[in-house]
Amino acid sequence: MRFILLLFIIPSWAFAFEWEAGIRENFLTNKTYSYNSDSASRIRRELFDRGYRRISLHPRLQYAGDERSLFFMPAIKSPLTDLGVMNARVSQANGFMTIKPMIFSNPGLGEAKPAARINPVKPEVAIASYDQQISLFLQLSRQHDVDRLVVGSGITHLLKDEKNVARFEAMLRGFRKRLTPSTELILEINGSEDVKAVEFALLHNFDLTHLVEGIAYVPDADQALNLENLKNIRVQLEGILPGLPVHLSRIVIPSCLKTEVTGGELYCADSEKDQKAQVTKFINFKKDLIALENQGILFRTVEILEANTDFEPKNPDPRYPYYNPNFNDPLIYELPKKPIAVLPAFPIPETTGKKIACVLYDKNDLPPQVDRIGDIHSVMLESVLGAFPAWKVRRQRLKSYTQGSLQDCQSVFYLATNFAQELPQGFADEVALLSNRIPVVWFNYKFSELALNLRNRNQDPGFDAAVLIQPDSAPSPQNEDPGFFRFFDYQGETFFKLAQWNPASHNFAASPELHFINMKDADKVEVLSKSRHSKTNATIPYAVRSGNIWYMADSPFSFVHYEDRFYILTDLLWDILGETAPTERIALIRIEDVNPSLDMVSLRWAMDYLADQNVPYSLGVIPWFADIIGAGGPDFQPQFKPITKFPSFVSQLRHGLRRGGSLVMHGSVHSAGCLISGYDGVSGGDYEFWLYPENRPLPFDSIDWATRRLELGIKVFQDLDMKPVAFEVPHYAASVMNYVVFSKMFRWNYHRTIYFPNSINADTALPERLRAFNCDPAKCGDERRAILSNLRIEADYTAFGGMALPFIIHKDAYGQSLIPETLGMIDFAFYDPQTWRPVSKPEDIIRRARKLKVIRGAAASFFWHPQVLNPNSRYYREVPGSYERMGGKKSLELVVKGLRDLGYEFKSIEDKTLFPEDDVL
């Protein structure tokens, strides 16, 4: 058994406290510089660039300072919708937002001063009025999953009166009840007077520790940067509220030389300033906090008042570091990293007893002839071989071959993709010797060297492939059919190479070359497939067998598409490996991009139609809905909400599950955080784990980010008491590290995969209890990430390959168990020719499925978007006439009927005989 123990090799990191940036409102008029303004968005973005991941907003409450003792929203303020928009932007950037409603005695234009504490004539009225106003923020927090809500600003001191304790406690209890568990409720304690009030309330049975998740402590303004004061107050709070987290709040680090305290807050008393001194104050304050931490005196977060919503005021407030260019260095905010021991890797399941399929490939790293084709094709071949659980694949670069190293192989595959790559000494001899007892499969170039060796051993294979046939003329964008052997006949069906010009390589996407197989002794050779010329219809052998020698006249992994000659190889593998293929012809259907922006009538029709036809189906559900720039909504406002916030949509999902549907987790958001990666930043349109059109991993891609991103969606399904059967990565694209993480976390993945040259230098299993949906991410996420952090992966993203694997894959090159998708989607819109994304009408889907019938074990698997039933969707408005060509509901009905007429039987991905829950070793 293979054990990988990497304890303490690579540490993970944790901070004892986090920085939080406070942003105050500043108004020029009652319509500018709100929390939804461009100014506020720019401030948020630049603060994140400095190193913040937490933003706190201070919306205004006004106090009627008379006997009415009431609170209300002032006319000049950010509306609640603005706070929701800001939360969407912060969440999209993988950050967290705090809302701190602040009481202002006279909030007007500009940046008004908050009230340190109010003294109402009627405290019972004030508490009831405050409760009523905070209810608006409670609703906002529920709708947008705000991370924290801080309450009690200006009124906590009322607890010093015994008559107010019960009222205050009832108010907090109501707040906690009306908030979702994901939102922390924090009570603000402003200075020493509030501390005394809380101490008094606790003596009168005030049950604070069960009502809030923490304390936001605002130090007395003239003591905020005093180390000894902070130490004493933290010890005091621990004594009266043991175990309750404490957050330092509203810390002012001014650049001015003279300050004064007004209303409990620090303000500048003159216009003189020293911005370098402000940086020094901040750094010294950070050192003090670290010193306290080393003494075991901890704060959870430390909020620095950083800015107001005007990012370029005429007279910047010297209290705010944001306006000091000397703070642009993120090292100023950097916190010390504390190493925490990584959990040891878990042993990879035992593979002893499996037969070994040895895959060798060409690769050249030296410029100017750098060649990664063989490496990519070998990864693709390893993934195809993952359909055969009795076999283990061992990939090996040809240059690393040493004589005798193939003796434990039960089959040998050689991808000869580089014409200039010389065969190592003894390689042809060993392969020829092995062919007496095991299958040897040779692709493309240099077969004549093996044939010569075989003849010298009196093992003449009866054929040779020394001649390379070129196209009749030079391929070009204007010459899409230069005349070449493009079509491949197999078992009564015809497959073909893609004749598509590749502007990057200045050639066809699939090489038009083909080796001429010279049949010297036809009695010894079985012709398995023939190739036909695109103009003359002349035929020549393409795939042949002579005893244990199998040869294909090119590399079938070159630009694989839905009707590619690649499928010929996949069928032959059953014979090459001596495995028995299943006889059942299965069909699978997935309803794609299911999210709250869909037309619910169309979704309901599709689910009911399939249920009425006794067709099991999958729902590719996106658990979070994002709209980064407000492109899709009627009010053009950004959105970032879990589907739990869309009860009518959840109702449709439950209806679908009752009627035979199965859940697939289609990413977490189907967009890439705050980036537009693809099209418009709307869930369903953009990539999530890949940067497009740059075609490279996301700049913040990491094991930590990827697992947290997945847990974001997992938690939504757990909150709904729903358990998806499989995972599908948005647009099928991700980094190698992402795919490996998918393989660890999900039993089944339901997507096609992009394959890159890679090496997994250190691996780890993930215990079953830590897989997706088996535990609460809040409780097991850290342990999961600690184990996965043992992974060591190298990848080359300069080239890649992809393919539609025809049958169930138990373990691909990344370790994924894959549910096949082989037919694509019903689609009537044309695309940029460079993408070669073909139009797929029902007849195209059915034609592909008919060809798959000659491929043993192949599944007819396609997906369908409910959006095709909406002629007003942006998709069809951008492609005039495509909706009319689609034919509405018939697009789905024709495919379902067509697949059944071909003899396919629709199956559920919950069928445990096809897709078992246990691991296949």
Side-chain angles (χ1 to χ4, degrees):
M1 182 176 292
R2 182 184 177 193
F3 287 88
I4 305 173
L5 298 176
L6 300 177
L7 188 62
F8 302 122
I9 290 180
I10 299 291
S12 60
W13 307 105
F15 300 149
F17 69 89
E18 296 179 274
W19 294 120
E20 185 170 53
I23 305 177
R24 290 279 173 83
E25 289 176 303
N26 186 69
F27 294 103
L28 179 62
T29 72
N30 64 348
K31 296 182 180 179
T32 61
Y33 301 147
S34 74
Y35 282 123
N36 187 25
S37 66
D38 291 339
S39 296
S41 294
R42 176 167 175 172
I43 290 166
R44 189 272 309 160
R45 184 171 61 252
E46 292 179 358
L47 288 174
F48 271 39
D49 290 343
R50 292 190 185 189
Y52 284 106
R53 278 297 172 267
R54 290 190 173 274
I55 301 291
S56 58
L57 313 183
H58 301 176
R60 304 179 181 206
L61 290 180
Q62 187 164 348
Y63 172 60
D66 53 28
E67 292 188 2
R68 289 180 296 168
S69 302
L70 299 176
F71 299 96
F72 58 90
M73 295 286 190
I76 301 170
K77 65 176 181 61
S78 289
L80 292 175
T81 54
D82 287 5
L83 300 177
V85 168
M86 178 61 90
N87 188 70
R89 287 174 171 154
V90 169
S91 300
Q92 287 281 8
N94 303 311
F96 304 92
M97 193 179 86
T98 299
I99 295 179
K100 296 185 176 185
M102 303 286 290
I103 298 172
F104 293 79
S105 57
N106 184 26
L109 292 176
E111 186 181 67
K113 296 181 179 181
R117 49 187 61 87
I118 57 97
N119 295 290
V121 174
K122 300 177 181 179
E124 71 280 6
V125 174
I127 292 173
S129 175
Y130 184 83
D131 187 340
Q132 185 180 36
Q133 292 302 307
I134 296 297
S135 294
L136 300 173
F137 298 102
L138 297 173
Q139 181 180 359
L140 175 75
S141 298
R142 290 196 305 271
Q143 290 175 342
H144 296 277
D145 279 326
V146 173
D147 189 61
R148 286 180 187 153
L149 176 64
V150 178
V151 298
S153 165
I155 67 168
T156 301
H157 68 287
L158 298 179
L159 288 168
K160 65 185 178 183
D161 189 326
E162 184 179 353
K163 292 181 293 187
N164 298 330
V165 173
R167 297 188 186 104
F168 209 102
E169 180 175 335
M171 179 183 70
L172 291 179
R173 195 177 303 280
F175 291 169
R176 180 65 272 168
K177 186 176 181 180
R178 285 176 280 168
L179 282 175
T180 61
S182 60
T183 299
E184 289 185 319
L185 180 64
I186 308 294
L187 177 67
E188 180 178 285
I189 297 178
N190 193 336
S192 54
E193 186 175 340
D194 279 8
V195 174
K196 293 176 181 177
V198 170
E199 284 185 300
F200 175 86
L202 292 172
L203 293 175
H204 292 80
N205 302 316
F206 185 41
D207 189 19
L208 185 59
T209 56
H210 293 92
L211 298 175
V212 299
E213 281 75 47
I215 296 297
Y217 178 68
V218 183
D220 292 326
D222 56 350
Q223 295 292 316
L225 305 185
N226 184 305
L227 175 64
E228 197 61 31
N229 176 68
L230 294 179
K231 178 179 178 179
N232 291 337
I233 194 65
R234 184 66 186 89
V235 172
Q236 184 180 3
L237 289 173
E238 178 65 24
I240 63 176
L241 297 167
L244 200 61
V246 176
H247 309 261
L248 273 181
S249 286
R250 295 156 57 184
I251 303 296
V252 175
I253 302 179
S255 64
C256 52
L257 301 180
K258 294 181 180 180
T259 60
E260 63 183 14
V261 177
T262 304
E265 288 211 342
L266 197 69
Y267 291 90
C268 287
D270 59 25
S271 59
E272 294 184 66
K273 59 184 180 181
D274 185 339
Q275 292 185 327
K276 291 185 178 179
Q278 187 181 27
V279 174
T280 301
K281 291 177 187 177
F282 184 95
I283 292 174
N284 288 336
F285 178 59
K286 182 171 69 172
K287 290 179 179 178
D288 287 345
L289 291 172
I290 294 169
L292 289 178
E293 176 187 310
N294 291 333
Q295 298 174 43
I297 300 172
L298 307 179
F299 294 96
R300 179 68 62 85
T301 56
V302 179
E303 180 196 27
I304 306 296
L305 284 184
E306 272 280 355
N308 58 41
T309 50
D310 180 2
F311 78 93
E312 48 182 11
K314 292 182 180 179
N315 298 301
D317 192 320
R319 296 180 300 163
Y320 296 151
Y322 173 80
Y323 303 108
N324 184 345
N326 296 302
F327 275 86
N328 287 332
D329 185 352
L331 292 177
I332 294 174
Y333 296 87
E334 189 174 65
L335 293 169
K337 297 175 180 178
K338 291 193 168 185
I340 298 175
V342 172
L343 291 175
F346 269 68
I348 300 298
E350 179 66 68
T351 58
T352 303
K354 285 192 174 186
K355 293 176 282 188
I356 299 176
C358 296
V359 175
L360 296 102
Y361 60 91
D362 294 340
K363 183 179 182 179
N364 185 24
D365 295 322
L366 300 178
Q369 301 298 325
V370 174
D371 176 20
R372 303 174 180 85
I373 293 175
D375 198 350
I376 297 168
H377 290 190
S378 71
V379 175
M380 296 168 75
L381 176 56
E382 178 180 357
S383 297
V384 178
L385 293 171
F388 306 95
W391 289 80
K392 176 185 176 181
V393 178
R394 187 171 74 205
R395 285 196 311 124
Q396 180 181 352
R397 185 176 176 177
L398 185 65
K399 281 187 176 180
S400 67
Y401 163 83
T402 56
Q403 197 160 3
S405 62
L406 304 180
Q407 292 305 307
D408 59 342
C409 303
Q410 279 81 50
S411 63
V412 173
F413 297 80
Y414 173 42
L415 289 153
T417 57
N418 189 313
F419 181 80
Q421 177 75 63
E422 295 183 0
L423 298 183
Q425 179 69 35
F427 176 70
D429 289 338
E430 185 169 359
V431 170
L433 182 64
L434 288 172
S435 69
N436 285 309
R437 59 182 179 86
I438 66 171
V440 171
V441 187
W442 196 289
F443 302 91
N444 211 5
Y445 300 120
K446 296 172 283 189
F447 179 78
S448 57
E449 296 185 48
L450 176 62
L452 176 61
N453 194 289
L454 289 167
R455 286 193 294 272
N456 290 338
R457 293 175 172 275
N458 294 318
Q459 297 173 232
D460 191 342
F463 72 96
D464 207 337
V467 177
L468 184 63
I469 304 174
Q470 300 286 354
D472 298 347
S473 58
S476 73
Q478 295 75 35
N479 185 22
E480 291 191 359
D481 188 1
F484 67 104
F485 284 90
R486 183 185 180 202
F487 301 102
F488 300 84
D489 297 324
Y490 182 72
Q491 300 293 331
E493 293 291 349
T494 298
F495 301 86
F496 63 93
K497 280 187 180 181
L498 181 63
Q500 175 68 35
W501 183 258
N502 186 330
S505 65
H506 301 289
N507 208 327
F508 277 173
S511 171
E513 298 178 342
L514 197 72
H515 280 81
F516 175 70
I517 298 177
N518 182 14
M519 303 287 286
K520 295 183 175 182
D521 187 346
D523 292 338
K524 290 185 176 181
V525 185
E526 179 184 2
V527 177
L528 306 168
S529 171
K530 290 186 175 182
S531 180
R532 282 188 291 114
H533 196 277
S534 60
K535 290 187 175 180
T536 67
N537 274 332
T539 62
I540 57 174
Y542 170 62
V544 297
R545 176 187 184 181
S546 175
N548 282 331
I549 300 292
W550 305 70
Y551 177 71
M552 299 189 79
D554 68 356
S555 176
F557 297 96
S558 174
F559 208 103
V560 175
H561 61 88
Y562 289 121
E563 299 172 64
D564 200 271
R565 83 281 189 205
F566 156 78
Y567 285 121
I568 298 172
L569 169 65
T570 64
D571 186 64
L572 294 176
L573 285 175
W574 297 103
D575 300 321
I576 292 169
L577 300 177
E579 299 290 332
T580 302
T583 57
E584 189 177 25
R585 300 191 188 281
I586 68 169
L588 301 170
I589 176 173
R590 186 177 70 235
I591 300 178
E592 188 76 333
D593 290 339
V594 179
N595 71 86
S597 70
L598 292 180
D599 172 31
M600 293 297 111
V601 175
S602 300
L603 175 61
R604 181 68 168 250
W605 172 83
M607 295 188 299
D608 284 344
Y609 163 72
L610 293 171
D612 292 342
Q613 295 294 314
N614 294 316
V615 173
Y617 57 89
S618 302
L619 296 165
V621 178
I622 307 168
W624 281 77
F625 179 73
D627 185 348
I628 295 176
I629 60 175
D635 54 358
F636 300 102
Q637 297 292 346
Q639 293 189 68
F640 190 69
K641 296 181 181 180
I643 57 175
T644 52
K645 303 300 181 185
F646 300 89
S648 61
F649 173 70
V650 172
S651 177
Q652 294 294 336
L653 284 187
R654 296 196 188 281
H655 173 79
L657 296 179
R658 287 193 300 268
R659 300 219 65 194
S662 300
L663 278 179
V664 174
M665 178 175 161
H666 191 17
S668 285
V669 188
H670 211 315
S671 69
C674 58
L675 299 176
I676 292 182
S677 179
Y679 305 100
D680 53 13
V682 179
S683 290
D686 275 25
Y687 295 75
E688 183 169 5
F689 293 86
W690 190 247
L691 190 62
Y692 182 86
E694 292 83 354
N695 275 330
R696 58 181 174 83
L698 294 166
F700 41 77
D701 188 31
S702 68
I703 289 175
D704 182 77
W705 176 84
T707 53
R708 289 183 188 275
R709 188 71 169 184
L710 294 170
E711 288 168 356
L712 191 69
I714 290 168
K715 185 64 168 63
V716 172
F717 287 115
Q718 289 180 329
D719 289 344
L720 293 170
D721 196 25
M722 296 179 179
K723 186 175 181 179
V725 180
F727 176 77
E728 176 197 358
V729 64
H731 291 327
Y732 294 166
S735 69
V736 174
M737 182 273 295
N738 293 152
Y739 284 122
V740 174
V741 169
F742 301 157
S743 77
K744 309 297 181 183
M745 290 188 63
F746 300 97
R747 178 64 189 91
W748 289 99
N749 289 272
Y750 195 175
H751 50 233
R752 284 185 276 121
T753 299
I754 301 174
Y755 293 103
F756 302 92
N758 74 89
S759 60
I760 301 176
N761 300 324
D763 205 349
T764 177
L766 194 65
E768 185 66 27
R769 61 182 174 81
L770 295 180
R771 284 195 168 189
F773 312 111
N774 290 349
C775 61
D776 181 350
K779 297 178 180 178
C780 68
D782 288 343
E783 183 182 1
R784 177 188 286 142
R785 284 183 288 278
I787 293 172
L788 291 178
S789 65
N790 288 289
L791 290 168
R792 299 290 173 269
I793 298 168
E794 294 180 19
D796 179 355
Y797 294 104
T798 58
F800 61 89
M803 55 188 168
L805 291 160
F807 26 58
I808 297 168
I809 301 297
H810 297 284
K811 184 180 181 182
D812 77 343
Y814 299 147
Q816 301 175 108
S817 297
L818 294 171
I819 300 171
E821 185 272 282
T822 54
L823 304 176
M825 66 178 181
I826 300 170
D827 192 4
F828 286 73
F830 290 87
Y831 297 86
D832 184 330
Q834 294 187 20
T835 67
W836 199 76
R837 183 172 166 181
V839 171
S840 298
K841 306 173 189 176
E843 53 265 37
D844 298 317
I845 300 287
I846 294 168
R847 183 186 66 253
R848 295 168 189 164
R850 186 189 68 242
K851 293 185 179 184
L852 282 177
K853 287 183 68 176
V854 304
I855 309 302
R856 285 166 285 178
S861 177
F862 74 104
F863 58 99
W864 182 86
H865 292 85
Q867 294 94 317
V868 301
L869 297 185
N870 182 7
N872 297 316
S873 68
R874 186 171 73 249
Y875 180 76
Y876 287 110
R877 291 199 304 270
E878 291 175 354
V879 189
S882 57
Y883 176 77
E884 289 73 19
R885 291 192 297 271
M886 183 270 301
K889 297 174 180 177
K890 288 184 179 179
S891 66
L892 182 60
E893 294 169 344
L894 288 172
V895 174
V896 169
K897 182 179 184 302
L899 294 182
R900 279 181 162 165
D901 289 345
L902 287 172
Y904 288 100
E905 181 181 356
F906 283 95
K907 293 288 187 177
S908 168
I909 62 171
E910 297 187 59
D911 187 331
K912 298 301 184 291
T913 61
L914 296 171
F915 309 106
E917 290 184 347
D918 58 310
D919 283 315
V920 178
L921 300 182

